[in-house]
Amino acid sequence: MKNNDAPLNETAFFTLSAQDVCAATGISRATLYAYVSRGIVRAIAHPGDGRKSLYDRRDMRKILAGKKRGRSRQSVAASTIDWGEPILVSKITRIADGQFYYRGKDAVVLSDAMTLEDVARHLAGLRIDADRCGAPDFAPADHATPFDRMIAMMAGQVTGPTAGDGRPAAAKLMRLAALAAAGIGDDGESPIHVILARAWGAKSRSGAPELLRRALVLCADHELNASAYAVRVAASAGASLPASLLAGLATLSGTRHGGLTPRCRKWMDQVAKGKIDPAFDPVGNNVPPGFGHPLYPDGDPRTRAIMQSCGQTGDAFWAKIADQVGQATGQHPSLDFGLALLERELDLPKGAGLAIFAVGRMAGWIAHLFEQRQSGKIIRPRAANG
């Protein structure tokens, strides 16, 4: 299956002939063609000879890496956990060729007009009527960040009286999470992005509600990331709705997941004040926080959309900083950079970027939860003694 519609910036990777791939990997042409048909290896028509194809050299490297580690049962299982092959069947989100799709539809295109409520309906079949949810006020501690309030609210739901375990209850929990992040009560009519804009003092800023709407949609799901997997593990064990979602929130807080967003915000503040070189990494990993994503070697489409919406292209300050870091490290800005940028550009409360991540991701977590329940299986890997 040839991909003749590969983006121009992608075609630079399609340089290998069938003979090149087979010679380098030791596979037969029949196996190569089978890999292409299954989407393991990408191909485009040869520009000089339509009867031939050119193959993606990145996919050849994946084949070589797989052969190097061997294909024993244990090695295959171990490789899946570290950015490896899929380990669960899911129809929610697909990531391929530098793009991602919500149930077959380009998520960046959906973010042009959909609200988070629309995406929750698309991904999880939720109907979120603001007046029907009737979410109560949430009284936060004065010092709590928006994300802290979400954790506290969800933990209270876990230990509180059961209020249903189906999609209506999930819809209410999603809105409750947004109200907790906002730190205000429900007006019974506003969509989530307007609630956040009002609570965070951003509604008066030109285009702020629309920027939040787009960011929430772009955060809604991202396949089997760590937090979605945590939700599925909890759901597979029979945990309640709030308990499963609390597992997702707890995992998202990690500094190698959503917790990168506040780290990136601190880095941006230092760069903006001229205190550090933009390519400086305070942790010592050679890449600043908020840069690099294994699934997007040519740049994260979510971040591009957020930066464009914020006007950070061309000679704009943060666009130039991102380009400078890219030249120094070879890494592009990730979603964490985009959310930290949005937090700065709209002068949102500290930690709002992570809260946007968490509120948006509720839609995907709920979809994963119900999909996992439908499978009827418990997620229980074996441990290899080594």
Side-chain angles (χ1 to χ4, degrees), residues 42-325:
R42 290 162 290 188
I44 61 172
H46 194 297
D49 188 345
R51 297 169 300 176
K52 298 180 180 179
S53 299
L54 291 176
Y55 301 88
D56 194 324
R57 65 175 182 266
R58 295 169 297 182
D59 295 330
M60 185 195 72
R61 289 197 290 266
K62 291 179 185 177
I63 295 173
L64 287 170
K67 291 173 74 69
K68 183 177 180 180
R69 67 173 174 259
R71 303 303 291 173
S72 69
R73 182 178 177 182
Q74 289 88 345
S75 65
V76 171
S79 72
T80 63
I81 297 175
D82 186 21
W83 300 99
E85 299 171 10
I87 56 176
L88 289 173
V89 175
S90 177
K91 296 181 179 179
I92 299 169
T93 297
R94 181 173 70 92
I95 301 172
D97 300 325
Q99 301 296 329
F100 70 117
Y101 305 84
Y102 293 159
R103 294 200 183 277
K105 296 185 178 181
D106 189 315
V108 175
V109 174
L110 294 182
S111 75
D112 288 340
M114 275 193 172
T115 63
L116 182 60
E117 289 86 348
D118 294 331
V119 172
R121 187 179 300 113
H122 178 63
L123 290 177
L126 300 190
R127 181 183 175 188
I128 304 179
D129 294 332
D131 55 350
R132 187 165 67 89
C133 287
D137 288 6
F138 180 77
D142 292 338
H143 63 277
T145 68
F147 187 78
D148 291 337
R149 294 194 292 266
M150 293 180 70
I151 289 277
M153 182 281 298
M154 198 63 71
Q157 293 295 311
V158 172
T159 58
T162 303
D165 209 40
R167 282 177 170 77
K172 181 175 180 178
L173 278 173
M174 179 172 161
R175 190 164 176 89
L176 274 169
L179 291 166
I184 62 174
D186 198 348
D187 63 7
E189 60 182 27
S190 298
I192 285 172
H193 65 277
V194 172
I195 288 174
L196 295 178
R198 180 188 302 127
W200 292 340
K203 190 178 180 183
S204 61
R205 295 181 178 85
S206 177
E210 276 295 287
L211 284 171
L212 290 171
R213 180 197 58 74
R214 181 185 288 273
L216 288 166
V217 171
L218 292 169
C219 289
D221 193 55
H222 205 237
E223 198 211 64
L224 287 177
N225 53 78
S227 56
Y229 189 62
V231 170
R232 292 188 76 123
V233 170
S236 79
S240 68
L241 270 167
S244 299
L245 295 175
L246 184 60
L249 285 168
T251 306
L252 186 69
S253 72
T255 57
R256 298 180 68 180
H257 195 3
L260 265 175
T261 300
R263 284 181 55 206
C264 184
R265 170 65 198 264
K266 291 179 181 178
W267 170 84
M268 294 177 87
D269 290 345
Q270 290 178 304
V271 171
K273 294 175 183 177
K275 292 185 176 180
I276 61 171
D277 183 281
F280 172 73
D281 170 27
V283 182
N285 293 324
N286 300 320
V287 179
F291 283 81
H293 197 296
L295 296 180
Y296 299 120
D298 302 308
D300 193 325
R302 301 169 296 178
T303 312
R304 279 197 297 269
I306 292 173
M307 291 182 70
Q308 289 169 2
S309 296
C310 290
Q312 286 295 328
T313 59
D315 290 331
F317 179 78
W318 288 110
K320 290 196 293 185
I321 293 295
D323 183 62
Q324 185 177 341
V325 174

